């Protein structure tokens, strides 16, 4: 069973059902039923037209569910239509579906959560981690969003800012999470950049290219994390870096700064440094100051504390960190790094161990545990 094929076809099939008048929640349920049926049937009887098969089965499941619901009998003039016979044209509707899910009837945060779950393929746990909220809270938010749009026709697409937020979060999960979605997010952002002349679209595309250029060096052969300062810069993708920097420079020249352009500028400064020691941390702090002004995000302030520690010394970094909530994810890891640089290995080891217990994934947990063990072994020699 080709799971990648099923995942790639899901947005287009969902779009077909939505265009034919299915409410979003009902359409999603029908598509999920069709995917389960595909897993059961395809290994022994693979279809010649996979997308057409999924559309037909999903539409029939939607019809069955709709007919069983007496309250929706007034919509029978819509649901009685059948998909036309023959192969289904291969059309990539994914980006359009992102816009449709960013519906004006939803708040931006609800639209992002719904799209990540229904189209991006992320789990509720992954989305909750991205939003820094409990999984149960995010599950309720997604359920409310589905109820809000359950009877809405998706003929009024949402705004670009919401779609950019979704693409960015999908990329982040693809870059560092359990599901490899980074390349798909880059592809869709490229489509969006070709269709919309917007500096923040360009900024996001540049940011993705600059981060993706370092991807091969982020983990060792055994799967362990490799910190930025220790990565082999000779293996970075220089073509992607050059493309990202060029896109960023053109966007910044328009003098309409947004958060994705500012983040891309920070990534470009890291990419431009021949060695970690030659990183222009002073300028990076300045860009973080711009990001704080634009977003007032606690995560941005946390990253800024790291940059301040590099630019002005660990004591300055710790002072910046002291103004932040210790419950913030990765707060303990940043504090550990700054205390180690400040010559306090005992406190650093304790904080690395604390950060490991709170780590969101196994690779990060193992990395932080090794950091704590490294410092403890030095202390007991």
């Amino acid at each position: 069973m080709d799971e990648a094929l099923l995942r790639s076809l899901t947005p287009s099939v969902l779009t077909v059902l939505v265009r034919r008048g299915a409410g979003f929640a009902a359409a999603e349920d029908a598509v999920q039923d069709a995917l389960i049926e595909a897993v059961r049937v395809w290994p022994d009887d693979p279809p010649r037209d996979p997308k057409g098969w999924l559309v037909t089965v999903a539409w029939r499941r939607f019809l069955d569910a709709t007919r069983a619901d007496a309250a929706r009998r007034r919509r029978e003039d819509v649901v009685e239509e059948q998909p036309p016979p023959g192969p289904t044209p291969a059309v990539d509707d994914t980006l359009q579906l992102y816009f449709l899910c960013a519906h004006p009837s939803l708040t931006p945060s609800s639209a992002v959560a719904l799209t990540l779950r229904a189209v991006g393929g992320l789990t509720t746990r992954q989305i909750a981690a991205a939003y820094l909220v409990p999984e149960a809270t995010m599950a309720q938010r997604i359920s409310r969003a589905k109820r809000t749009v359950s009877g809405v026709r998706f003929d009024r697409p949402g705004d670009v800012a919401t779609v950019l937020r979704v693409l960015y979060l999908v990329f982040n999960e693809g870059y560092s999470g359990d599901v490899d979605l980074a390349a798909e997010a880059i592809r869709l952002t490229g489509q969006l950049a070709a269709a919309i002349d917007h500096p923040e679209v360009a900024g996001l595309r540049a940011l993705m290219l600059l981060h993706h250029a370092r991807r091969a060096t982020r983990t060792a052969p055994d799967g362990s994390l490799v910190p930025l300062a220790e990565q082999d810069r000779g293996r970075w993708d220089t073509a992607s870096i050059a493309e990202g920097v060029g896109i960023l420079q053109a966007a910044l020249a328009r003098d309409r700064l947004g958060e994705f352009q500012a983040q891309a500028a920070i990534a470009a400064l890291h990419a431009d440094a021949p060695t970690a020691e030659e990183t222009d941390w002073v300028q990076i702090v300045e860009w973080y100051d711009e990001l704080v002004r634009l977003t007032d995000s606690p995560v941005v302030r946390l990253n800024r504390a790291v940059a301040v520690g590099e630019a002005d010394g660990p004591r300055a970094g710790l002072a910046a960190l002291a103004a932040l909530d210790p419950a913030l994810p990765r707060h303990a890891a940043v504090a550990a790094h700054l205390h180690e640089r400040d010559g306090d290995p005992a406190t650093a080891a304790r904080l690395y161990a604390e950060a490991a217990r709170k780590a969101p994934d196994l690779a990060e947990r193992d990395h932080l545990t090794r950091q704590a063990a490294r410092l403890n072994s030095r202390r007991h020699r």
Side-chain angles (χ1 to χ4, degrees):
M1 170 58 57
D2 190 341
E3 294 183 5
L5 174 62
L6 285 176
R7 189 182 303 122
S8 67
L9 290 174
T10 298
S12 294
V13 176
L14 188 55
T15 302
V16 171
L17 268 65
V18 169
R19 284 176 171 174
R20 290 183 173 276
F24 188 88
E28 185 187 13
D29 289 342
V31 172
Q32 291 301 317
D33 287 345
L35 294 176
I36 292 171
E37 185 70 6
V39 171
R40 186 182 70 82
V41 172
W42 285 12
D44 298 324
D45 185 19
R48 285 178 294 179
D49 178 16
K51 179 182 174 182
W53 189 98
L54 287 171
V55 168
T56 299
V57 172
W59 188 253
R60 286 173 180 167
R61 295 300 172 90
F62 169 69
L63 289 177
D64 291 343
T66 303
R67 289 183 181 122
D69 187 350
R72 296 185 183 179
R73 290 190 181 279
R74 62 182 180 276
R75 300 176 61 192
E76 284 185 352
D77 58 331
V78 176
V79 301
E80 287 299 331
E81 296 180 14
Q82 291 287 342
T88 303
V91 178
D92 184 0
D93 296 314
T94 309
L95 187 59
Q96 181 181 9
L97 190 55
Y98 273 71
F99 271 96
L100 292 176
C101 289
H103 197 271
S105 63
L106 295 172
T107 64
S109 61
S110 294
V112 169
L114 177 63
T115 313
L116 289 172
R117 184 71 185 92
V119 188
L122 275 62
T123 65
T124 303
R125 176 185 60 79
Q126 290 171 316
I127 302 169
Y131 270 89
L132 310 180
V133 299
E135 184 174 350
T137 300
M138 183 52 64
Q140 292 175 353
R141 184 178 300 177
I142 293 172
S143 295
R144 285 196 300 270
K146 287 182 178 180
R147 287 196 299 271
T148 299
V149 300
S150 61
V152 173
R153 289 191 63 88
F154 281 69
D155 54 359
R156 291 188 299 148
D159 68 341
V160 175
T162 300
V163 174
L164 289 179
R165 178 66 54 201
V166 173
L167 288 170
Y168 181 49
L169 291 173
V170 169
F171 175 81
N172 280 341
E173 281 300 328
Y175 190 65
S176 60
D178 302 325
V179 182
D180 186 0
L181 295 167
E184 174 70 357
I186 292 173
R187 183 184 71 83
L188 292 172
T189 305
Q191 285 187 0
L192 187 58
I196 299 177
D197 183 20
H198 192 296
E200 273 293 84
V201 176
L204 178 57
R205 186 175 174 219
L207 176 62
M208 289 180 174
L209 288 169
L210 289 164
H211 278 318
H212 207 62
R214 304 199 303 259
R215 185 173 186 180
T217 65
R218 294 184 70 251
T219 55
D222 63 0
S224 59
L225 294 180
V226 180
L228 176 61
E230 300 172 19
Q231 290 174 14
D232 181 358
R233 296 176 183 234
R235 295 176 57 210
W236 287 358
D237 184 346
T238 55
S240 291
I241 291 173
E243 182 181 3
V245 169
I247 293 170
L248 173 63
Q249 289 175 338
L252 292 175
R254 301 177 65 176
D255 198 24
R256 290 168 55 193
L257 183 64
E259 62 175 295
F260 292 122
Q261 295 169 72
Q263 289 189 58
I266 293 169
L269 287 167
H270 283 297
D272 189 53
T275 65
E277 293 73 23
E278 295 174 86
T279 303
D280 189 346
W281 286 106
V282 172
Q283 194 171 168
I284 287 175
V285 171
E286 293 174 354
W287 278 111
Y288 271 120
D289 289 339
E290 290 289 344
L291 264 178
V292 169
R293 180 181 62 81
L294 290 166
T295 68
D296 196 28
S297 162
V299 174
V300 170
R301 291 182 181 275
L302 185 68
N303 292 332
R304 179 184 178 277
V306 176
V308 169
E310 297 292 341
D312 301 326
R315 296 282 175 91
L318 287 168
L321 188 65
L324 301 177
D325 184 354
L328 191 65
R330 296 188 172 89
H331 184 284
V334 171
H337 169 73
L338 292 170
H339 277 288
E340 180 181 359
R341 290 196 64 237
D342 194 38
D344 186 356
T347 300
R350 176 179 58 79
L351 288 167
Y352 275 130
E354 176 187 335
R357 292 191 295 271
K358 300 176 180 178
D361 57 66
L362 183 60
E364 186 171 339
R365 187 182 315 141
D366 288 347
H367 172 71
L368 293 167
T369 300
R370 284 193 297 271
Q371 295 294 87
R374 171 179 58 82
L375 292 179
N376 283 325
S377 65
R378 288 181 183 178
R379 291 169 52 215
H380 295 99
R381 284 177 184 172

